[in-house]
Amino acid sequence: MRALVINCTLKPSPEPSNTEALTEVVTKELWQRGVEVRTVRAVDLNIKPGVQTDMGEGDDWPRVHDMLLESQILIIASPTWLGQPSSVAKRVLERMDAMLSETDDEGRPVAYNRVAGVVNTGNEDGAHHVIGQISGALADIGYTIPGQAWTYWHLGPGPGPDYLDDDEGHDWAARTGRAMASNLVAVAEALAARPIPAPPQ
């Protein structure tokens, strides 16, 4: 089984990413459950604006799209800015819009029988809003969102330290992240055993 993590931090490599640090809790648990995990830091790529799978010369999205189709598990990881998912996360979701019209050999939307979850960090409240926005978009595309397939770390309202600067709340976020990984694997295995059929015509 394969998982793809798309880290939607605004920070280019090799700058430390709070979102990546929390995501590593989830990926470690996935590895321990036998899942092969690949990670993409989207800001490092040239992901052109648009809603097509290939936006032409220099577009790095087709490579990410291929990785999406090779993975049974998807994790979108995003910081919170102004109470919203990052602009990078929104760009990723916009490009995934093209998957709505893509089907497999059996006529199923290509996101069917794949599961997805969300990791979110920030130092102000708004995690549930960000998780809801990203989860809703992924469900629209056709991904199955297991119960409690998310984790987050938010220190609370107002400015404050980042995830990498403060240990407060790490135990809860890590415990929730391990549960997220477990739930993603369990539902992915269930869908592999009993796939969702193509929609009725």
Side-chain angles (χ1 to χ4, degrees), residues 14 45 92 103 114 142 174:
L45 305 177
V92 165
T103 56
R114 305 177 196 277

Side-chain angles (χ1 to χ4, degrees), residues 11 14 22 25-26 38 42 44 47 77 80 83 93 97 100 104 107 112:
K11 300 171 182 175
L22 179 54
V25 174
V26 182
R38 292 181 290 181
D44 291 340
I47 299 176
T80 299
L93 292 171
D97 183 85
L100 285 165
D104 64 15
Y112 271 32

Side-chain angles (χ1 to χ4, degrees), residues 21-41:
L22 179 54
T23 302
E24 286 173 354
V25 174
V26 182
T27 59
K28 182 180 178 181
E29 185 70 22
L30 289 171
W31 277 110
Q32 291 178 347
R33 294 173 180 273
V35 179
E36 176 189 338
V37 182
R38 292 181 290 181
T39 300
V40 170
R41 194 182 284 209

Side-chain angles (χ1 to χ4, degrees), residues 51-125:
V51 291
Q52 298 176 26
T53 295
D54 190 340
M55 297 299 297
E57 184 177 356
D59 185 17
D60 288 332
W61 180 255
R63 180 161 53 95
V64 180
H65 177 267
D66 288 344
M67 288 190 281
L68 285 167
L69 298 186
E70 293 165 359
S71 303
Q72 293 75 46
I73 297 172
L74 170 64
I75 295 170
I76 300 289
S78 175
T80 299
W81 292 108
L82 297 174
Q84 302 288 322
S86 74
S87 58
V88 177
K90 291 184 177 183
R91 174 71 56 87
V92 165
L93 292 171
E94 285 171 350
R95 294 303 300 273
M96 291 180 70
D97 183 85
M99 295 170 69
L100 285 165
S101 59
E102 298 173 8
T103 56
D104 64 15
D105 292 340
E106 298 183 32
R108 296 174 297 203
V110 292
Y112 271 32
N113 300 305
R114 305 177 196 277
V115 300
V118 182
V119 173
N120 178 240
T121 57
N123 56 21
E124 294 191 54
D125 196 13

Side-chain angles (χ1 to χ4, degrees), residues 136-155:
L138 294 171
D140 281 349
I141 294 165
Y143 280 87
T144 296
I145 313 297
Q148 298 181 348
W150 48 260
T151 189
Y152 66 86
W153 182 88
H154 274 231
L155 192 59

